[in-house]
Amino acid sequence: MRVFTMKTTFFFFFFFSGPFTDVVTTNLKLRNPSDRKVCFKVKTTAPRRYCVRPNSGIIDPGSSVIVSVMLQPFDYDPNEKSKHKFMVQTIYAPPNISDMEAVWKEAKPDELMDSKLRCVFEMPNENDKLNDIDASKPAPVQNASKQDGPMPKPHSVSLNDTETRKLVEECKRLQAEVMKLSEENRHLRDEGLRLRKVAHSDKSGSPTALALRDNGSNSLPSLLVVIAAIFIGFFLGKFIL
């Protein structure tokens, strides 16, 4: 019984993404699923436009090889369809292989398997660019347990604490000044009483002048106490609100 083998051809698409102002590299993965060594060769219809590394070699059983195809820069025209094609030829490696060129020259057509690839040039649109930029940004980390109501802002809390401390210090300072003014008021009151006693004992003193002097000495401390009380009420009201 004779077994006839048939030359098999597969068609694929080979995509290159722009912009094409610089070298664009696309990788081609060749895998050998058989239990024998396989020889491969990569051909193209535009050899001056592409650089292929490696363009030929041997793939061990169950192994794979990455072939880098580098497209040289050119002026891209979206209305022009690409006519570039690639072809990957494979053949079972004979035992004790020594000359690869001789293997391909002596290969029979029914021993070859061809895989043809048509080149497709595509330019990324603006939406794809924006999606790539968004994908590169780290996603915000959200807490798994949601709380009711808005979360407090740390910066706002720190500013409120600072303002509170300032108000407390200001209140303490004003209270110290009120105590100081009260002490001065007490001294002035004592001084007024002393002067009143001296005026009564002084026969040459005028009663009208003495009354004016007492009123002037008593009105000044009272006015300072009122001003201090206004300041304290203002700052305490701001602190409470």
Side-chain angles (χ1 to χ4, degrees):
M1 182 179 66
R2 298 179 61 186
V3 179
F4 295 92
T5 58
M6 182 180 295
K7 181 178 179 181
T8 306
T9 303
F10 296 95
F11 294 90
F12 301 94
F13 290 99
F14 208 8
F15 291 92
F16 292 87
S17 298
F20 301 100
T21 56
D22 201 355
V23 177
V24 178
T25 302
T26 300
N27 293 326
L28 179 65
K29 184 177 182 179
L30 305 179
R31 185 176 180 274
N32 178 15
S34 66
D35 56 354
R36 296 174 55 183
K37 291 184 177 182
V38 173
C39 300
F40 74 92
K41 179 188 290 187
V42 182
K43 297 181 179 180
T44 179
T45 58
R48 295 183 179 180
R49 300 286 298 275
Y50 299 91
C51 181
V52 183
R53 293 291 183 274
N55 57 2
S56 63
I58 300 176
I59 307 176
D60 294 329
S63 301
S64 58
V65 174
I66 301 297
V67 178
S68 297
V69 181
M70 291 160 277
L71 173 63
Q72 304 303 309
F74 70 100
D75 294 331
Y76 174 71
D77 185 2
N79 298 322
E80 181 181 356
K81 294 184 179 181
S82 174
K83 298 180 180 180
H84 300 172
K85 296 179 182 179
F86 277 83
M87 183 174 65
V88 180
Q89 288 185 326
T90 57
I91 187 176
Y92 285 116
N96 300 325
I97 181 174
S98 59
D99 188 1
M100 289 289 298
E101 293 296 332
V103 171
W104 293 108
K105 288 180 180 180
E106 298 174 0
K108 298 178 181 180
D110 57 357
E111 296 176 347
L112 297 173
M113 185 177 68
D114 299 339
S115 298
K116 294 184 178 180
L117 301 94
R118 181 183 297 275
C119 296
V120 178
F121 301 146
E122 57 181 5
M123 289 290 291
N125 53 34
E126 295 297 329
N127 293 332
D128 293 339
K129 292 180 180 179
L130 293 175
N131 292 335
D132 293 340
I133 294 175
D134 294 338
S136 63
K137 294 181 179 180
V141 178
Q142 296 182 353
N143 192 0
S145 60
K146 295 183 179 180
Q147 298 180 356
D148 296 334
M151 293 293 292
K153 297 181 180 179
H155 294 289
S156 299
V157 174
S158 61
L159 289 176
N160 291 336
D161 292 341
T162 303
E163 186 176 358
T164 302
R165 287 195 297 269
K166 290 182 178 179
L167 288 175
V168 171
E169 293 176 358
E170 186 68 18
C171 289
K172 290 181 179 180
R173 187 181 65 82
L174 290 175
Q175 288 177 356
E177 290 184 359
V178 169
M179 293 178 64
K180 183 179 179 181
L181 290 174
S182 299
E183 186 68 21
E184 291 180 356
N185 188 20
R186 187 177 63 81
H187 286 297
L188 290 174
R189 189 181 298 110
D190 295 340
E191 183 68 17
L193 293 175
R194 188 183 64 81
L195 291 174
R196 190 178 293 109
K197 291 179 180 180
V198 172
H200 282 294
S201 61
D202 189 3
K203 295 181 180 180
S204 63
S206 174
T208 305
L210 180 60
L212 292 175
R213 184 173 56 188
D214 291 340
N215 292 332
S217 60
N218 291 329
S219 61
L220 179 60
S222 300
L223 180 61
L224 294 177
V225 172
V226 171
I227 294 175
I230 292 174
F231 272 105
I232 291 175
F234 173 75
F235 281 103
L236 287 177
K238 184 176 179 182
F239 173 71
I240 294 173
L241 294 177

